[in-house]
């Protein structure tokens, strides 16, 4: 896990072979005696069980490697940081917990729980970092979903799946429990961002044919996401029907069928709110005021009947999504319409 000075210097020289000598940062890890002394002390703490001092030494060693490698290049520093994080998780999982179980008898379970909690924090922090890096790369593509060129341009969605698969080529090297948490978490984040793009779009279908095309593409991309994450071993199958429910609400023709689909959506995802349904009805572009109220009443009735149920944070989907405010301007006189348009403009600025 830890590099000797000679190995570090060798890698530094290889990484900077093409640089002008004057631009190569001078990095010092300390002399061989200092490194050997620290490693000897580390082994002593490990054998004697002084975890507090051990933690300080591990932190010092990791900090040295991360800071010194970052002095060469930022990219090298990032790579070393990831290696240290992975190595730290392995240290906790393979050695630390097992040693506690074997060494402590009466309070072994309690100590093991503490060690597992430490491991969980490391794994969670690493997974959050990896997920955030992936989402940052996906963000420009999510912003193009359900825009004017989305129906004609299949490359937008293909770019999303390509980026995800590229990252998972690296993630697959992880061990099973941390990998499973990462795969499930990314699956949830990707579906959340897709749903966000749907309910925040300002696209309004001008015909039944356009509604069918929009719903058809949503369904197709939902199936592709489901198949992709199944191949990546995500076990978060509860996410699979979310986008298809939205597609059905957009495509169905009669109000009673839409009401049934809204009930099915609320049954699968109890955190769906009135503004999410309003946003979907707004995409349709054909729902009268009275029918809109009848559909929303279905959601209110369903939420009322299930008001006592609690939803795990890990199973929340719509709770993190704000919908674009729906502004009704139909059947108003000109002055009301102008005030309505002014509100719409302010909303547009706020959403951007």
């Amino acid at each position: 896990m830890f590099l000797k000075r000679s190995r570090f210097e060798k890698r530094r020289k290889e990484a900077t072979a093409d640089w002008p000598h004057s631009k190569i940062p001078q990095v010092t890890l300390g002399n061989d005696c200092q490194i050997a002394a620290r490693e000897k002390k580390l082994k002593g703490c490990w054998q004697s069980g002084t975890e507090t001092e051990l933690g300080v030494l591990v932190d010092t060693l990791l900090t040295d490697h991360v800071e010194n490698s970052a002095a060469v290049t930022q990219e090298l520093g990032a790579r070393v940081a990831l290696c240290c994080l992975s190595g730290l998780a392995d240290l906790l999982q393979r050695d630390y917990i097992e040693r506690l179980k074997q060494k402590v008898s009466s309070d072994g379970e309690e100590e093991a729980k503490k060690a597992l909690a430490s491991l969980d924090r490391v794994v969670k922090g690493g997974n959050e970092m990896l997920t955030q890096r992936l989402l940052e790369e996906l963000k420009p593509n999510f912003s193009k979903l359900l825009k004017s060129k989305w129906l004609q341009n299949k490359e937008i969605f293909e770019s999303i799946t390509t980026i995800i698969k590229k990252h998972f080529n690296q993630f697959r090297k992880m061990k099973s429990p941390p990998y499973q948490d990462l795969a499930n978490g990314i699956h949830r984040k990707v579906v959340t961002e897709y749903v966000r793009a749907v309910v925040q779009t300002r696209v309004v279908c001008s015909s039944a044919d356009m509604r069918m095309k929009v719903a058809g593409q949503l369904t197709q991309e939902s199936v592709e996401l489901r198949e992709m994450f199944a191949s990546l071993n995500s076990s978060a199958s509860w996410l699979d029907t979310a986008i298809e429910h939205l597609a059905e609400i957009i495509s169905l023709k009669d109000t009673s069928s839409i009401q049934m689909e809204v009930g099915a959506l609320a049954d699968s995802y109890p955190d769906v709110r009135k503004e999410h349904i309003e946003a979907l009805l707004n995409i349709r572009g054909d729902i009268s005021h009275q029918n809109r109220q009848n559909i929303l009443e279905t959601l209110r009735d369903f939420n009322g009947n299930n008001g006592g149920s609690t939803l795990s944070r890990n199973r929340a989907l719509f709770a993190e999504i704000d919908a674009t405010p729906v502004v009704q301007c139909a059947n108003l006189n000109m002055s009301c319409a102008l005030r309505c348009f002014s509100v719409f403009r302010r909303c547009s600025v706020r959403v951007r």
Side-chain angles (χ1 to χ4, degrees), residues 37-58 96 99 103:
R38 282 191 298 185
E39 292 184 350
K40 183 178 180 181
K41 191 172 183 181
L42 175 62
K43 291 177 182 178
C45 290
W46 188 252
Q47 293 168 358
S48 64
T50 55
E51 278 79 13
T52 302
E53 190 172 359
L54 173 65
V56 173
L57 282 171
V58 170
Y96 185 73
R99 186 172 65 80
K103 186 173 182 178

Side-chain angles (χ1 to χ4, degrees), residues 3 5 15 22-23 33 37 40 62 115 146 170 176 203 236 289-290 292 311 315 348:
L3 295 174
R5 182 184 179 188
S22 59
K23 294 185 179 180
C33 292
K40 183 178 180 181
L62 294 183
L146 273 86
Q170 297 297 319
S176 181
V203 168
H289 176 74
Q290 184 58 53
R292 179 185 293 264
L311 182 67
R315 297 294 295 268
S348 298

Side-chain angles (χ1 to χ4, degrees), residues 21 40 76 135-137 139 212 240 243 250 252 275 277 282 284 307 333:
H21 182 73
K40 183 178 180 181
L76 180 60
L135 291 176
E136 285 297 322
E137 192 170 346
K139 189 174 181 179
M212 294 304 295
D240 291 342
I243 301 170
I250 292 172
L252 289 170
E275 54 264 35
I277 305 302
N282 203 44
R284 291 181 58 95
N333 58 35

